[in-house]
Amino acid sequence: MRYKITLEYDGARYHGWQKQPKEPLTVQETVENAVMHIAGSYVKVTASGRTDEGVHALGQVAHFDCDNALPCERMKAALNHWLPDDVRVTECETAPDTFDARKSAKRKTYMYRFYVSDTESPLRRTRECYGGTSLDDAAMDDAAKLFVGTHDFAAFMSSGSSAKTSVRTVFDASVKREGISVVFSVTGNGFLYNMVRIMAGALLKVGKGGGKERIEKALAEGDRRLVPDIAPPYALYLIGADYGSGAKIAQNSRPILI
């Protein structure tokens, strides 16, 4: 039986989603260990997308096959019993054998969070990126609209990517203020290595007083040097994946801080 699960996790102590030979702790291996307790043997867990070291998720979708066919609520409870406190299954359902959490995804949404304050917050420092005493969120929102559409995002990709093409489609990109937080949200059909964090780094420059023209030029010329900054990982969240209904993305978007 194939199970489709939605995961929420704090990525602070993990070396990203994907299991790696030389890294002792990844989210994938942690989830697979929980499944193994139930299945009795190793079972691969496939996610909608990789999250990098330190990146969080509110709605990471994954699938796995298990011959030990438990009702979904019991499977959810059993997984959460074996998972550590910083990883939780929030939803569990059965899926057809043709469902693939990665290949079947039509859209993915990420959120990057900044905050503005006279002083840096000891509570927000592992959840949001400090943007200084002020950010022009209206200018950031205007610049974010440049990402919408089908573009070659070569300038917004770190070296080391195995992607066959750097062309991606962004369906929506916006920046809005939530109290002292400034939140960048972006939905696309896929994202390149560090793409959202490079976008966030470019928008941070805009918020501090300029740089929109550099984003325009980077999209046109594909020159990574025009947008060199990569925002830190701890303020990035995978919100969710959409498999055609359009509803999944919004379900797990909830406030991070009071």
Side-chain angles (χ1 to χ4, degrees):
M1 180 178 292
R2 180 155 295 187
Y3 289 92
K4 173 187 174 185
I5 57 174
T6 302
L7 295 155
E8 179 176 326
Y9 53 82
D10 177 345
R13 71 187 184 104
Y14 294 95
H15 296 269
W17 165 267
Q18 188 177 21
K19 184 164 55 178
Q20 303 169 56
K22 295 183 180 180
E23 297 297 353
L25 191 64
T26 64
V27 182
Q28 182 183 18
E29 186 170 11
T30 300
V31 177
E32 288 179 347
N33 286 341
V35 175
M36 187 163 58
H37 279 288
I38 301 164
S41 60
Y42 170 76
V43 174
K44 182 179 180 180
V45 178
T46 301
S48 64
R50 304 171 185 174
T51 50
D52 295 332
E53 181 175 351
V55 176
H56 314 295
L58 290 175
Q60 172 72 282
V61 178
H63 81 265
F64 63 90
D65 296 325
C66 183
D67 292 334
N68 190 356
L70 296 177
C72 290
E73 281 305 308
R74 285 187 61 194
M75 177 62 77
K76 175 183 172 181
L79 288 171
N80 284 332
H81 172 78
W82 292 109
L83 286 169
D85 291 343
D86 53 6
V87 182
R88 276 291 174 266
V89 176
T90 59
E91 297 177 31
C92 178
E93 58 187 289
T94 57
D97 292 342
T98 54
F99 173 79
D100 186 292
R102 183 177 64 85
K103 295 178 181 179
S104 301
K106 306 299 182 185
R107 304 181 179 202
K108 299 171 189 174
T109 293
Y110 282 88
M111 169 179 67
Y112 197 93
R113 299 183 69 90
F114 304 96
Y115 74 99
V116 292
S117 175
D118 292 338
T119 57
E120 293 188 51
S121 166
L123 295 179
R124 293 175 186 263
R125 66 184 177 85
T126 60
R127 293 290 180 270
E128 298 185 315
C129 177
Y130 183 54
T133 57
S134 65
L135 287 174
D136 187 342
D137 53 288
M140 293 170 73
D141 182 58
D142 183 55
K145 299 295 186 278
L146 295 171
F147 297 132
V148 177
T150 301
H151 305 285
D152 186 339
F153 284 97
F156 295 84
M157 175 180 64
S158 290
S159 60
S161 171
S162 59
K164 294 180 181 179
T165 176
S166 52
V167 175
R168 295 292 186 273
T169 298
V170 170
F171 301 106
D172 185 66
S174 64
V175 174
K176 64 179 181 179
R177 186 176 287 270
E178 297 177 357
I180 69 169
S181 298
V182 176
V183 183
F184 167 48
S185 299
V186 59
T187 300
N189 66 348
F191 294 92
L192 301 163
Y193 181 40
N194 284 338
M195 179 173 162
V196 180
R197 289 170 58 196
I198 296 170
M199 288 175 162
L203 290 176
L204 181 59
K205 276 196 170 181
V206 173
K208 290 184 174 182
K212 178 182 176 182
E213 68 285 348
R214 282 180 169 266
I215 295 176
E216 292 178 298
K217 196 171 182 181
L219 287 169
E221 299 180 8
D223 189 345
R224 178 75 181 85
R225 294 171 296 179
L226 292 167
V227 283
D229 298 329
I230 303 178
Y234 54 77
L236 179 61
Y237 300 79
L238 172 59
I239 295 299
D242 177 10
Y243 293 90
S245 67
K248 172 59 69 178
I249 283 177
Q251 283 184 351
N252 294 297
S253 179
R254 56 178 184 256
I256 307 303
L257 297 165
I258 58 172

